[in-house]
Every structure is written in C-alpha cells, then in structure tokens.
Amino acid sequence: MKKGLIFNIQRYSLHDGPGIRTTVFFKGCPLKCQWCQNPEGIDTDVELFRHNQKCIHCGSCMTHCHEKAIDLTDSGPLVNRQACNRCMECVDICPTGTLEMAGKEYSVNEVVQAALKDILIYEESGGGVTISGGEPLLQYEFLLELLLALKKLNIHTAIETSGYCSWEKIKEISKITDLIYYDLKLIDDNSSRIFTGASNILIMDNLERLVISGANIVVRMPLIPSVNDTRDNIEHTAGYLSSIGVKCIELLPYHNLGSVKYEGLDLECPFNYRPNSELIRQASVIFEANGIYITSEG
Amino acid sequence: MVVAERGITERVKKLRHQSENTAPSITIERAQLVTEAYRENADSVSAPVLRALTFKHLMENKAVCINEGELIVGERGPKPQSAPTYPELCCHTVEDLDLISKRNKIAFQVSDEVKNAQEKEIIPFWKGRSMRDKIFKRMNNNWHACYKAGIFTEFMEQRAPGHTVAGDKIYKLGMLDIKEEINAELLAMDYTNDQDAYAKAEQLKAMAICADALITYARRHAVRAREMAAVESSAERTRELEQIATICDRVPAAAPETLWEALQYYWFVHLGVITELNTWDAFCPGRLDQHLEPFYQKDLKESRLTTYSAKELLQCFWIKFNNQPAPPKVGITLKESGTYTDFANINLGGLRPDGKDGANDVTYLLLEVIDEMRLLQPSSNIQVSKKNPDLFIKKAAHIIRKGWGQPSVFNVEAVIIELLRQGKTLVDARSGGTSGCVETGAFGKESYILTGYFNLTKVLEITLNNGVNPADGTLLGIETGNPRYFKNFDQLLSAFERQLNYFINIKIEGNQIIEKLYADQMPAPFLSLIIDDCIKNARDYNAGGARYNTNYIQGVGIGTITDCLSAIKYHIYDQKRFNWDEMMYCLDKNFAANEVMRQILLNKTPRYGNDDDYADSIMQQVFKIFHGLIDGRKSIRGGTYRINMLPTTCHVYFGSVIGATPDGRFAGKPLSEGISPVQGADFKGPTAVIKSASKMDHLLTGGTLLNLKFSPAVLEGEKGLNSLVHLIRSYFRMDGHHIQFNVVDADTLRKAQNNPEEYRNLIVRVAGYSDYFSNLNEELQNEIIARTAHAKL
C-alpha cells in the first residue's frame, strides 16, 4: 500500500468547505508561490521544524544529535541543515516540543481512521474531509485511494488544488471528489512564472476542461497585495472567467501569519506584506462590475 | 467607558442602574428577628413549629420595601443588595464581618451598628447553637482531618440543604388552597394507629403557619403600596401602586390569573424560601417559559398586555434576582469563596411534560430579556432537545457569541435518561431540568442535595505516598503499599480505589449525621409547602418528605487525575523513561531541579481532551471507580447517593492543598475544572474535546460540566454561529450533559486584568455560573486566561 506524506490533520476546520471538516494537508508542492503561508507544505520530504519560543535551553537535542547538526544558542537550537540527516531522533528527545517533525507518513487507512473520529460532527454539520496542501495532486495515487476510501464511507470530500498537474490526473480525481477548490492566482503567464515559479497555461487549460466536464468547482483567488490585486489583473481574470462560463469567484484574504514558519524551517521568507482587509472589498467591486459574483466561503 | 443603561423602558433602566450600582451590605434585621423568635419559642414547641413561628415572625416584621418605579415588589433585606445573615446555620464572628467589609473583592458594607449587634446580641445567643457548631462537634477526628486536608468539602456547614426548584404547583394553587390540602391531611391523621402521627401533625401545623405567614407578608406590601399611592404625585404611578396593592392582596393567597400575578406570586415564594433558610442555590422558578406561557397568551388575548409591556414586566422580574447577593460565608470558606451569585438558574426550551417541543413565545421573549438585561443573576440556560428546532439554539447562540457567559446549554434527552435511571417517572423527568451549576433534578418534586466536593487528585497523591499526606507527613489514609513495588499500572489503580473507598466512607458517615441534624433540628416547613409530596407525606423537605430524595458527591479534577495517571502509565510502565524514584523525588522537590522532566510530562504524555484513547480510557477507569463506590448507597432520610462532576470554583482550593503532580503541574496550582481538560492540555480543537468528554458515561451522573473557550474570531459570521449549533448537537448526540462557551480572547482578558475599571462589565463563564471578571481573584482570572483558546488562525 502506498503511503502519503502529510504535515497536518486539522480537525474543526470551518473554512475549507461546507460544515465542520477535517482538513488533511499533503506535503509537497510543485509551485513556489512567494506569499505561501504553509512553507512546510512545499518540500516533498520530512523536515525538522523549530519553535524556538518553547525552548528551555536544556541542550538535550545538541547532546543527542549523531551528526552534530544542532548547536544551542541563546535563542534556542540552531540546525545545520546540510549536516542534518533528518533522522528526527531529536524530536523525540526534545522535552518541550521545540523541535517538531513537519511531515509524517500515513497509510490510507490511518488517514481514514483520523477522519472518522469526527464522523458524527460531519453528519450534524454537513461537513466532511478536505484534502489540502501543499498540492494534493502531487501525491496522486495516494490521493486517489484516499478519496475512494472516504467515498465508500459516504463522507463528503473536497480538495484544494492549484490545478498544476496533468489533465488525466485531475480528471480522475474530479470524478470522485464532491468539490474542487481551484486556485486562480494570476492571469498573466509571465507574472505567474515570476511569482509562483510556474507557467499558468496548464492551470488554465485544466480549469477550462473541468468546467466543460461539469465538475463541481469553486474558483478561488488569494488576493495578494501588489501581486494580483491590480485592476488590470482582476479585470482580465473576470473576463477570462466569463469566457469559460464561470460565474463566480471566492476571494481569500492574504495573511502573513505563516511568515514565522519560514524561520522555523531556516528558510528565507520571500514575501511579507501587511494584510489589508480593504483589498477584498475593492476587488469585489471590480469583479462584480465585470459580471462575476463574489461568493463567501463554505 | 460610559455604558448606556440597559432596559426596555426608563423605569427598567433606573431599576437596573440601582441594582448594579448599589453597594452590597449586610443587614442584621433577620438575625435579630430570628433570635427574638428563638428566645420566645425555642423551649416550648416542636422543631417544625419553632421554625414556622420563626418564619412567621420574619414575615410579620421584616421591613417592606417597594422601590421607586418597580412593578414586582419584595426584597430579601430591607433594601436592594442587602444580605441577611443566618445565625442558626452559621454565625459570623466579628473578624468575619471585618474581613467582609474590608476585602477588595466581593465586599459587603457592614455598619458599626451591625457589628455591635452581632457582638452583643447575636453571637452570645448562637454560640454552640448554630448548625455549624453542632456539626463540627459531632464529626469525628478522621472527618476533621480529611476536611482540613482538603479531601472533601462540606456543603451543609454554612448553608441549608435546598438545591431544589419550583414546579408548576404555585401557578395552579394559592396558599389558601395549599392550606386546605394540609387541613385535609390533618383531619385524616390516625392518632391511634400511626406512631408517627404526632410528628406528622406538628409538621403539617408548621406548614399551615408558613402558608399564612407568606400571605401576611404579601398583604403588608399591599398596605405599603396604598400608603405610597396616597402621597404619589404622578397619576400613572398612583395607578400602578394601586394595581400592585390589588395583586399583593390576591397572591399568594389565591392562584394567579395574570402574568403579573404569576411573577409576583413566584417572587414572594422565592423570598419565602431564601428568608426561611439560606438554602443552597437560593431558589429557582425552573421551567419559567412554560409556566408563564398560558398567562402570557391569555393576557395578550384579553388585551391586558402587549409583548412590549410583558417584556417590561419580565425585565423588572429579572432585576429582582440581581438585587439579592448571596449571603457571605464564615471562617475559612469566606476567604475562599468569592461570588455574589446565588445560583438561581432559569431553564428555557426543552420538552413539555407530554413530550412535545417546549420552546414557545415566552421562551423567545425571555432570551431577549436575558440579552438585553445582561445581569449576573439570574443565571440562564437553554434545554436542548432533538425536538427543538435549530432556530431556538441559534437564537441562544447569538447571545452566547457575545461572550458574557449566558446562557449555558443542556441536553434534554440526557437529563431525562439520568432522571429515569434514578427512578423518576417519565412525566416527572420531562418536567425536570437543571439547576445550580449543572445539577439534574425533578423540579417541584425532588430534594437533590449536593453534600460536598471530592478531591480525586488529593486521594491519588495520598495513594502515591502510601496513605501519608505529604503536606504534613501524617498518615491520613490507609496503607495501600509503596508504589515503587507496584509491578503494573493496575496495582496502582487498585490501591487508589481502596484509598478512595476509605475516604468516601468517612465523608458519607459524616453526611449521615448532618442529614439527621437537619431533619431533626432544622426543618424547612415553608419550602415543604412548595415541593411535592411533603404535604401528602406529612414530612419535611429536610427529612425526606419530597417525592424523590437524592444526595450528590461531586468529583473534582478528573482531567488532572487522568493526566497524572496517564503520565505514570506511559512514562514509568510503558516507555520506562523514568522510574518511581525519579518521579517521587521530582514531585517532592516541586520539579525544582528538573524542568526537563516536567516538560516531558507536560508535552510528551497522552493527555485527556485530545480524543486519544490512551488517556481517555484512564479517565473512564477513574470515573468507573468513583461512580462504583458511591452510586446507589442509601442515606438516612431515604435518599440515594449519586455522583456529579462539577467543581464551581473548588478546583482552585483543591489544587492549593496538593503538591506537584505527575502531569507536570506545580504544587498549589489549580486542578482542571468540571470535566474539561487540564488548562492547556488539549490542542486538537473543540471536536476532540467533546469526543474525549463524551467517553465519560454522563447518563450515570446527575450532571457534568464542560467548558469550551473560544476567541470571538472563531465564531464570526453565519458559519461560526452554525458551528456552535453543530458542536452542541454533536456533543449531545454523544450523550454529553452540558456545555458552556466562553467567548473572549486572552488579550481582552489580560487587558481587563490590568485595567479592571475599564472592564467592569465584562462577564465571563467561570464554572457553571458567570461572574464579573473583575470580581474574580487573580488566580481565577489567570486560570480563565490560561484555558485553551481554541483559536484558529
């Protein structure tokens, strides 16, 4: 049985689909969006994560590390990422949870069991399971098996995808899952390459095909200050959506609560803007003027 | 911060302002009247008649107060916010009165006259005669040692049994009708064959005296209202005063016919109960929405009222509860307890006695009153049945979301099964509900008394020390073995069970004596008028006269003891990361030299509240032991022992008597409250908490208390509101008994802690009741801040 790499299973999720849900975050993403607030979801391997504010400076990690990859500083453990072989023994040793493992392998059945814990709550609330990431389709086979297993149990499923994958894969998934949240970040291919690290041609192509296939899609747009909040981009996006027969869009506000996570992974945070709640309102006006309705989440 | 006064009319605003801004004070009036009555009668009549004559003396002589503009009349003291004392139960020392008047929180003004009278008249008469003195004298050394060590508390050493709620009787019968019932029983008395006939007759005579006394008290209000009307300049107020006079002449003598009369009748009964004795949880109208509905509909139909004027009446009624602060305690309990709340808790919704959806127009009207009044008292709750529409819960959820702690939420189906399991009829169970904090009862028909909190974690601490109380090194329990030699976890659990059994026996032996003292010496003939079947049985409420009699012992700290046992099982027996010597050494030293170990215990232990069967199954084992040792035992008044899982604020006191614990808790820190997880131990969100909590078999209890704290952001919007409804429905589908929500963020609370002046109005849910945040002591404030905010970013 194929295993999946998952970095979080979040219960009581209210904003990833209808009702009260469990969101399963798949680790690994083909894109590198500069504003990404889940950087631990990008790498396709397990990673060592530091929460230095929890550190009590006991030094257990440093003493225990076989690779001598950890140094203890005034601000907590300092990890030499080159030397670290990701054995993760320090995570067990650490008494406070300062060191944590981002990513853990799960079998399909293990995820299903975790999801079943709240089955009554899904039933009461009309909720279910949402597969998010990272990019769920990057672990296509595992995703397929998991969705089939959940469908067998009559649990409502949703996926959150960038659409950056082969048409064959997303087509198969769209036949099984009940709902697809589809991110449309930038309409201009050049900007897309700059800000997400990939061309959007495949993404838009897949979206058009999904619309034609009649799949249950909600198009979403994370509104990123000075990246895609320009009148030009919004008008183009609205025009594009109209042309392919999509009538509404859901806008997600940008937040920077994930910027601290970059530090925990010893990564450079490429982007850090102040969130601005005005943006959503301004963008909504432009979308609506161009014939696209704004839907609120869930 | 200027807050506009709340209320539907100017009158209500003024009354509410008076209620909120009058400084609580102590009145000596009741103590003096009771002392006079005892001097006069104590040696010449039977106990029930003595209590009845005392009640009569109070009703004939206590000051009559009609506040400016009010529609519902009558105060417990001579004026609003004036608390009487009950020297026959416990007599305040002069030092107690000093402490009450000087402390920062929950203070009462005590005048020099009061202090003087207390010292010269009250104390000399009651020394050795108060119930408290008698109880302490009768308890044996073991009991005293346990009481002092904080193994358990004793409810009846300061206040009288009560813990009961009015049914629908008073809306159908006037006091004169009730007297007829009494006379019929008296006439049927068989003095030749029934050996209890004399005692029964004394009890019935006492009840009849009390019925008359309440009528007298009401008519004194009628007289006063007419006197005031005669000199009143406003024509409108004159008319109102005349109407008040008419109503006070009619009720409680006769059954009520209008909404106004029904409210006024209840209020006189309420004052009667809480003036007769200082009953636990004061008194409560119970299913108020159902009781009032017929009067409300009739008044509307006959154009006596509009929805608007009905609401004004109800708001006036609400303020009356808030005018009555709980009388202060004495001695050590005075120092520990801190609330003005007297625990009247009004039930809304639920089912009708015939099993139909009970939410009606008055239910929705009362929800609006609760929201608009935002008063500490009365407390309120919604009774949620699967038959109630979501609309009802949502309306309440709108109020819950505002974050001032009311209403709390109960599971009707669970409450009914709990009552049926205890032997109530289906109709009596459906007419019941919950009172006090979370206690299940058959309203109007049951005496369900709470006898004391039980410190489960302290018993574990003593088990770990082979019977010795580490606080003072004395052998307090029995020698159940040194845990170092326990080969497995089960041996530890079995030692704990034997230890617990030993302490529960001490508690129950004490309870039996106290119960007998109350039955013989401190009957409550007035309360007995209201609760079925005291008249039919010709037996007092305090002597087993009610249709159902139940005694509760309340388990405290289930979250803490579960995490302690889980830590021992996981780290000592399963993972073998530590051994017993290391554990005991660190506990003894309060983790002074080993923060690493403490952090491991805190962070690397399966803990209750995360839907983890490893920890949750231990919770189930502890619950089963506690339940098994208590449930079904008999009390001397014919009652049956049951358990509850609720702490009020006792988890703070109980924590203060326990050293460091294996869950990583420092010595002296509070225990977990109710059946909530240890503060900060749960990190998987609210669905995991309700799953863990529902693994306890709530239906075997008479109440459990679960507190969930949310930051307001989580509950924003329609989605957030719906999620609240869904969490409630889900928890109740799993047989959860009660859930309450604290909706405030930690930042707000910290601000309130630093600037109490700016947040005087901030009410938070403490544990089964709400209180002003600024009135809580720092420790409780800190605890509320520390409770996991299930904030989702």
Side-chain angles (χ1 to χ4, degrees):
Chain A
M1 284 286 259
K2 179 126 183 76
K3 292 227 171 187
L5 191 65
I6 284 160
F7 70 91
N8 192 10
I9 297 181
Q10 174 81 50
R11 297 165 71 173
Y12 190 65
S13 285
L14 299 183
H15 303 284
D16 300 308
I20 298 176
R21 310 183 72 82
T22 297
T23 303
V24 183
F25 292 88
F26 279 33
K27 194 159 162 28
C29 184
L31 303 184
K32 283 205 164 44
C33 304
Q34 292 197 10
W35 56 83
C36 181
Q37 295 301 309
N38 284 331
E40 75 276 36
I42 299 173
D43 195 296
T44 53
D45 200 354
V46 292
E47 291 172 279
L48 185 60
F49 196 101
R50 301 180 289 113
H51 301 270
N52 278 22
Q53 75 281 7
K54 293 187 187 172
C55 182
I56 56 164
H57 303 90
C58 69
S60 312
C61 52
M62 187 174 69
T63 321
H64 188 86
C65 182
H66 307 298
E67 309 298 322
K68 304 268 174 272
I70 305 179
D71 195 13
L72 191 65
T73 68
D74 285 348
S75 64
L78 187 70
V79 182
N80 179 341
R81 298 281 172 176
Q82 270 72 47
C84 171
N85 66 355
R86 304 193 185 190
C87 72
M88 299 295 167
E89 283 179 25
C90 55
V91 171
D92 285 333
I93 294 297
C94 176
T96 62
T98 301
L99 293 172
E100 200 188 32
M101 195 162 78
K104 193 183 151 201
E105 287 208 321
Y106 282 78
S107 67
V108 166
N109 186 48
E110 281 167 339
V111 181
V112 168
Q113 290 311 316
L116 279 174
K117 279 178 171 280
D118 281 346
I119 185 146
L120 282 186
I121 293 132
Y122 310 150
E123 287 178 16
E124 286 296 333
S125 66
V129 175
T130 298
I131 316 293
S132 183
E135 170 52 60
L137 278 138
L138 201 58
Q139 303 184 53
Y140 170 72
E141 282 156 36
F142 183 75
L143 176 65
L144 190 69
E145 268 187 56
L146 176 59
L147 288 172
L148 283 169
L150 291 169
K151 197 179 176 70
K152 218 179 244 175
L153 294 164
N154 210 18
I155 294 175
H156 180 278
T157 64
I159 66 162
E160 294 179 332
T161 179
S162 66
Y164 193 75
C165 62
S166 78
W167 165 244
E168 289 310 315
K169 286 181 180 173
I170 200 162
K171 183 180 81 180
E172 286 309 307
I173 296 300
S174 74
K175 289 181 192 163
I176 304 161
T177 192
D178 298 292
L179 177 60
I180 300 174
Y181 286 105
Y182 201 100
D183 261 17
L184 191 62
K185 291 159 185 136
L186 281 154
I187 203 81
D188 174 60
D189 190 45
N190 207 25
S191 305
S192 183
R193 285 168 197 268
I194 295 168
F195 286 105
T196 74
S199 161
N200 64 11
I201 294 174
L202 182 60
I203 294 170
M204 289 164 70
D205 197 40
N206 282 339
L207 177 59
E208 286 156 38
R209 291 191 186 201
L210 279 175
V211 173
I212 293 166
S213 78
N216 187 15
I217 317 166
V218 172
V219 177
R220 275 177 161 181
M221 180 172 169
L223 212 59
I224 314 300
S226 67
V227 173
N228 62 1
D229 63 336
T230 58
R231 174 171 287 274
D232 192 51
N233 181 58
I234 293 170
E235 282 176 352
H236 272 96
T237 306
Y240 167 71
L241 290 176
S242 299
S243 75
I244 64 168
V246 173
K247 293 190 178 60
C248 35
I249 192 163
E250 193 179 308
L251 299 176
L252 303 175
Y254 165 77
H255 67 80
N256 58 359
L257 298 166
S259 55
V260 64
K261 293 186 189 169
Y262 284 92
E263 202 189 316
L265 292 162
D266 294 309
L267 297 172
E268 197 76 39
C269 181
F271 189 92
N272 199 356
Y273 269 83
R274 288 176 71 82
N276 179 354
S277 55
E278 256 304 278
L279 293 186
I280 295 276
R281 203 190 54 80
Q282 289 164 359
S284 305
V285 172
I286 306 174
F287 270 115
E288 283 176 350
N290 286 274
I292 299 291
Y293 296 107
I294 305 296
T295 53
S296 61
E297 39 88 15
Chain B
M1 195 158 69
V2 180
V3 184
E5 201 53 62
R6 298 176 157 273
I8 191 171
T9 56
E10 277 309 306
R11 167 212 316 281
V12 176
K13 285 182 179 148
K14 277 188 192 151
L15 289 166
R16 190 184 182 283
H17 183 83
Q18 178 189 37
S19 186
E20 288 278 89
N21 293 283
T22 304
S25 60
I26 298 285
T27 167
I28 198 76
E29 180 189 59
R30 185 187 180 281
Q32 286 176 324
L33 290 171
V34 168
T35 308
E36 281 168 21
Y38 265 70
R39 278 193 208 283
E40 178 77 21
N41 305 307
D43 299 326
S44 52
V45 296
S46 65
V49 172
L50 172 62
R51 291 304 304 165
L53 291 175
T54 304
F55 184 72
K56 180 168 181 265
H57 193 59
L58 282 162
M59 293 293 116
E60 286 174 352
N61 294 290
K62 81 193 271 306
V64 167
C65 169
I66 298 179
N67 295 302
E68 195 186 324
E70 74 180 353
L71 300 174
I72 307 294
V73 299
E75 296 284 346
R76 188 183 206 173
K79 57 181 188 178
Q81 301 293 350
S82 171
T85 59
Y86 299 75
E88 71 269 49
L89 295 175
C90 64
C91 190
H92 292 87
T93 62
V94 176
E95 295 76 50
D96 287 337
L97 294 182
D98 266 340
L99 179 68
I100 294 164
S101 62
K102 285 182 186 144
R103 64 179 177 179
N104 289 327
K105 310 260 175 182
I106 319 298
F108 286 81
Q109 291 177 349
V110 186
S111 69
D112 288 344
E113 286 147 271
V114 169
K115 277 186 202 164
N116 203 27
Q118 183 74 10
E119 194 175 1
K120 303 268 158 58
E121 302 168 40
I122 310 300
I123 294 173
F125 184 80
W126 290 102
K127 200 168 167 37
R129 283 181 174 227
S130 74
M131 290 301 279
R132 187 166 198 258
D133 289 351
K134 287 176 185 169
I135 287 167
F136 283 155
K137 203 173 153 199
R138 291 283 302 275
M139 295 297 110
N140 63 27
N141 290 341
N142 278 344
W143 188 96
H144 278 288
C146 292
Y147 179 80
K148 206 173 135 228
I151 301 279
F152 50 69
T153 65
E154 173 49 57
F155 266 50
M156 258 58 78
E157 50 101 358
Q158 306 242 338
R159 296 186 69 167
H163 301 101
T164 194
V165 171
D168 60 358
K169 181 177 181 175
I170 60 168
Y171 306 98
K172 295 171 179 161
L173 299 175
M175 284 292 146
L176 294 175
D177 303 315
I178 293 172
K179 258 185 79 184
E180 269 180 39
E181 279 182 15
I182 295 169
N183 287 333
E185 292 296 334
L186 269 173
L187 282 174
M189 205 56 71
D190 180 356
Y191 291 94
T192 45
N193 295 305
D194 183 351
Q195 59 184 10
D196 295 329
Y198 175 76
K200 286 178 176 175
E202 287 298 301
Q203 177 67 32
L204 290 168
K205 281 179 205 158
M207 291 182 190
I209 294 168
C210 291
D212 280 333
L214 195 73
I215 296 171
T216 305
Y217 180 58
R219 292 198 169 145
R220 291 176 60 219
H221 283 80
V223 170
R224 167 60 57 83
R226 288 197 180 95
E227 284 167 8
M228 288 169 73
V231 294
E232 174 63 47
S233 55
S234 145
E236 196 189 335
R237 183 61 184 161
T238 305
R239 265 198 313 281
E240 277 171 12
L241 286 164
E242 280 162 1
Q243 203 166 349
I244 289 169
T246 312
I247 289 168
C248 293
D249 272 339
R250 260 191 49 74
V251 295
E257 284 178 358
T258 66
L259 184 73
W260 195 344
E261 286 182 359
L263 290 170
Q264 185 62 63
Y265 188 161
Y266 172 76
W267 188 246
F268 281 135
V269 168
H270 186 97
L271 291 176
V273 172
I274 65 175
T275 302
E276 178 179 46
L277 280 170
N278 188 20
T279 44
W280 268 106
D281 298 344
F283 198 52
C284 182
R287 310 296 290 270
L288 188 65
D289 52 348
Q290 290 187 32
H291 299 321
L292 296 182
E293 195 208 5
F295 298 104
Y296 172 72
Q297 300 296 2
K298 191 168 144 230
D299 282 357
L300 282 187
K301 212 171 131 201
E302 294 168 9
S303 304
R304 232 183 326 269
L305 277 181
T306 61
T307 301
Y308 187 81
S309 58
K311 197 192 252 186
E312 184 184 40
L313 266 178
L314 291 168
Q315 294 195 343
C316 287
F317 181 68
W318 235 244
I319 291 166
K320 296 310 291 189
F321 284 88
N322 201 58
N323 279 355
Q324 324 303 329
K329 310 257 173 75
V330 304
I332 188 89
T333 319
L334 171 64
K335 285 182 198 138
E336 283 149 11
S337 63
T339 183
Y340 291 125
T341 300
D342 214 4
F343 296 100
N345 196 341
I346 287 168
N347 291 229
L348 298 174
L351 297 177
R352 292 172 193 272
D354 65 2
K356 293 203 179 86
D357 174 10
N360 61 55
D361 292 349
V362 179
T363 314
Y364 291 98
L365 200 59
L366 285 173
L367 281 171
E368 288 170 19
V369 169
I370 290 164
D371 191 21
E372 285 167 27
M373 286 288 91
R374 277 201 204 187
L375 287 167
L376 207 59
Q377 303 196 79
S379 195
S380 59
N381 68 72
I382 56 165
Q383 301 279 315
V384 172
S385 158
K386 58 190 179 190
K387 292 183 192 171
N388 296 134
D390 279 356
L391 175 77
F392 165 58
I393 311 178
K394 245 175 149 169
K395 178 117 187 196
H398 269 289
I399 307 172
I400 291 169
R401 190 165 65 172
K402 293 180 183 174
W404 60 283
Q406 287 193 30
S408 61
V409 189
F410 289 88
N411 180 359
V412 170
E413 276 71 28
V415 166
I416 289 176
I417 295 172
E418 288 160 22
L419 288 168
L420 290 176
R421 190 188 80 86
Q422 297 177 357
K424 277 92 175 171
T425 68
L426 185 57
V427 169
D428 286 352
R430 282 177 181 151
S431 316
T434 50
S435 63
C437 289
V438 298
E439 299 90 288
T440 296
F443 291 173
K445 299 167 186 80
E446 182 177 12
S447 152
Y448 47 114
I449 61 172
L450 273 58
T451 67
Y453 296 111
F454 217 92
N455 195 344
L456 297 170
T457 313
K458 183 74 192 175
V459 176
L460 177 65
E461 184 185 45
I462 286 166
T463 311
L464 296 183
N465 288 281
N466 195 11
V468 171
N469 179 12
D472 59 9
T474 59
L475 183 69
L476 187 65
I478 47 174
E479 293 180 24
T480 46
N482 184 330
R484 287 172 181 82
Y485 306 119
F486 293 157
K487 290 193 180 61
N488 52 49
F489 181 68
D490 288 343
Q491 286 189 355
L492 173 65
L493 266 189
S494 127
F496 169 74
E497 179 165 2
R498 274 179 288 141
Q499 205 73 252
L500 187 61
N501 186 46
Y502 172 77
F503 288 119
I504 285 171
N505 283 338
I506 293 173
K507 171 68 180 155
I508 290 183
E509 278 171 34
N511 282 357
Q512 301 284 48
I513 295 168
I514 295 167
E515 195 166 306
K516 186 92 172 79
L517 280 172
Y518 270 96
D520 291 347
Q521 301 185 19
M522 202 51 65
F526 179 72
L527 177 59
S528 304
L529 290 172
I530 312 302
I531 304 298
D532 293 334
D533 301 312
C534 292
I535 294 174
K536 207 167 96 189
N537 294 332
R539 255 176 114 89
D540 193 82
Y541 179 86
N542 285 347
R547 186 174 304 170
Y548 309 108
N549 292 280
T550 312
N551 286 12
Y552 283 102
I553 294 177
Q554 306 96 254
V556 173
I558 188 86
T560 302
I561 188 174
T562 297
D563 287 1
C564 289
L565 287 166
S566 180
I568 291 168
K569 186 176 183 206
Y570 188 75
H571 295 295
I572 295 182
Y573 290 108
D574 292 356
Q575 301 287 315
K576 301 189 167 51
R577 195 164 181 165
F578 308 121
N579 60 39
W580 272 112
D581 285 334
E582 289 168 310
M583 178 68 88
M584 296 309 292
Y585 179 81
C586 279
L587 296 184
D588 184 46
K589 297 281 176 262
N590 197 18
F591 299 109
N594 206 339
E595 180 63 10
V596 172
M597 178 165 173
R598 195 180 81 88
Q599 289 292 337
I600 291 169
L601 294 169
L602 281 175
N603 298 304
K604 301 288 168 112
T605 302
R607 299 180 76 179
Y608 170 70
N610 297 296
D611 197 8
D612 177 343
D613 283 335
Y614 189 95
D616 297 347
S617 65
I618 292 172
M619 176 279 287
Q620 290 171 313
Q621 283 175 294
V622 175
F623 175 83
K624 198 174 161 205
I625 289 170
F626 182 57
H627 177 264
L629 291 175
I630 291 175
D631 188 76
R633 292 211 201 186
K634 294 294 171 198
S635 93
I636 53 154
R637 75 183 201 290
T640 307
Y641 273 90
R642 308 288 180 193
I643 63 164
N644 269 335
M645 302 301 282
L646 71 102
T648 316
T649 57
C650 202
H651 57 298
V652 177
Y653 163 60
F654 276 175
S656 76
V657 299
I658 305 176
T661 40
D663 62 338
R665 176 190 145 280
F666 281 124
K669 293 287 170 196
L671 306 177
S672 61
E673 54 82 30
I675 60 164
S676 310
V678 169
Q679 298 77 352
D682 58 308
F683 51 89
K684 294 258 170 87
T687 62
V689 173
I690 64 171
K691 282 285 301 292
S692 280
S694 67
K695 289 175 200 172
M696 177 181 287
D697 195 343
H698 296 236
L699 305 178
L700 296 177
T701 74
T704 63
L705 184 149
L706 179 65
N707 206 329
L708 279 186
K709 182 166 169 280
F710 285 89
S711 77
V714 180
L715 302 174
E716 264 170 21
E718 196 62 12
K719 185 114 201 191
L721 199 66
N722 284 334
S723 88
L724 205 60
V725 176
H726 296 140
L727 280 175
I728 292 167
R729 291 282 197 200
S730 302
Y731 185 50
F732 289 177
R733 198 170 148 189
M734 297 184 279
D735 291 339
H737 171 89
H738 154 277
I739 189 165
Q740 68 188 25
F741 301 90
N742 249 321
V743 190
V744 268
D745 59 10
D747 273 349
T748 310
L749 293 175
R750 270 185 222 107
K751 279 183 206 154
Q753 196 174 31
N754 295 328
N755 312 298
E757 288 303 308
E758 287 176 38
Y759 291 88
R760 270 185 48 200
N761 293 328
L762 180 62
I763 299 178
V764 291
R765 200 83 194 161
V766 181
Y769 73 99
S770 305
D771 211 332
Y772 288 111
F773 187 73
S774 58
N775 278 349
L776 303 175
N777 64 31
E778 198 182 339
E779 206 156 26
L780 261 179
Q781 286 185 341
N782 286 339
E783 190 210 314
I784 288 181
I785 294 172
R787 277 181 201 159
T788 313
H790 291 284
K792 185 169 169 284
L793 300 174

